Amino acid sequence: RVATRDKSWSGNGVDPVTKIGEVMASDREMGMVLLLIFALGARRREGIMYRPGEADKGAYAVVDRGTKGGRYREVPLNDAQRQILDFIGRSVEDPGKPLGGNRRLESSIGRFSYVMRRHGLTKKGLGVTAHGLRNQNLMALHTRLTGMEVPVRGGVRPEGEAKERDIAARLELARTAGHGRIEISNAY
């Protein structure tokens, strides 16, 4: 599958920093989950189950709870991601607790969905979902690694040496996103 539409928040006219700030003002826990999704390109379940005190390893973050297929992964951190994780670590009451709170997972997912709807963060509302933050993170990673925009944002399919950089970047994208196949990086 190749992406034919930009599903990122910024690609749909939604400023992630402003909107996450609004969510944090009304529901700090779920705002922290969104912030983590934005920073690491995590999935919703991974964000809800993330425990800052256990997963933050300094130069990288471990994503091992709530992953598809139980896949363990380490996400290397750039300076901006490091700052976000530092903020999250300072802002939570108990770093050993999941970001989504100490409640049943289904309850946390329901609360997260409610907060997203309340803030218009749906396809019907503002045209974006939490997964769009993951898309945005992974598209930015591709651009950092290759120096080129992704095709869904007007980039062209690379040739020659640029194609080799693109393949290496897509392998890194698949690894960072917790996918087992390079082809899945086409979806971003």
Side-chain angles (χ1 to χ4, degrees):
R1 250 179 46 195
V2 176
T4 57
R5 181 174 86 74
D6 186 346
K7 296 177 184 176
S8 71
W9 285 24
S10 62
N12 285 280
V14 178
D15 176 29
V17 175
T18 301
K19 202 61 173 170
I20 292 170
E22 290 173 12
V23 172
M24 287 182 77
S26 72
D27 190 313
R28 193 140 181 92
E29 282 180 352
M30 294 304 133
M32 290 290 175
V33 171
L34 273 179
L35 189 57
L36 185 86
I37 293 169
F38 179 59
L40 299 184
R43 296 176 180 95
R44 173 188 65 181
R45 184 179 299 253
E46 295 166 348
I48 288 170
M49 297 177 74
Y50 185 85
R51 296 173 187 247
E54 296 174 11
D56 187 344
K57 303 298 183 188
Y60 64 95
V62 171
V63 180
D64 61 349
R65 295 175 184 266
T67 62
K68 277 191 177 177
R71 287 190 187 101
Y72 170 96
R73 70 183 185 273
E74 296 175 357
V75 179
L77 303 174
N78 63 31
D79 291 341
Q81 291 167 311
R82 174 75 264 146
Q83 289 176 359
I84 291 171
L85 290 191
D86 287 345
F87 173 78
I88 290 172
R90 287 189 314 270
S91 300
V92 295
E93 253 179 59
D94 180 355
K97 236 175 62 169
L99 284 182
N102 266 347
R103 61 181 65 79
R104 287 185 18 250
L105 177 60
E106 294 80 20
S107 295
S108 291
I109 290 171
R111 180 173 167 196
F112 182 83
S113 296
Y114 167 76
V115 169
M116 293 292 287
R117 285 190 309 273
R118 198 167 107 211
H119 287 273
L121 297 168
T122 63
K123 285 183 188 176
K124 285 184 179 178
L126 295 173
V128 297
T129 65
H131 202 78
L133 287 175
R134 177 174 163 85
N135 288 59
Q136 185 156 331
N137 174 286
L138 296 170
M139 286 190 285
L141 176 60
H142 180 275
T143 300
R144 274 196 311 275
L145 294 174
T146 65
M148 301 179 300
E149 278 290 359
V150 293
V152 77
R153 286 194 170 168
V156 295
R157 286 278 171 210
E159 295 181 10
E161 188 179 309
K163 185 174 180 113
E164 291 175 25
R165 278 196 320 272
D166 181 64
I167 291 169
R170 291 190 314 119
L171 281 168
E172 179 63 16
L173 274 176
R175 190 196 63 70
T176 298
H179 291 292
R181 300 168 291 135
I182 187 175
E183 296 83 21
I184 202 70
S185 63
N186 290 335
Y188 301 103

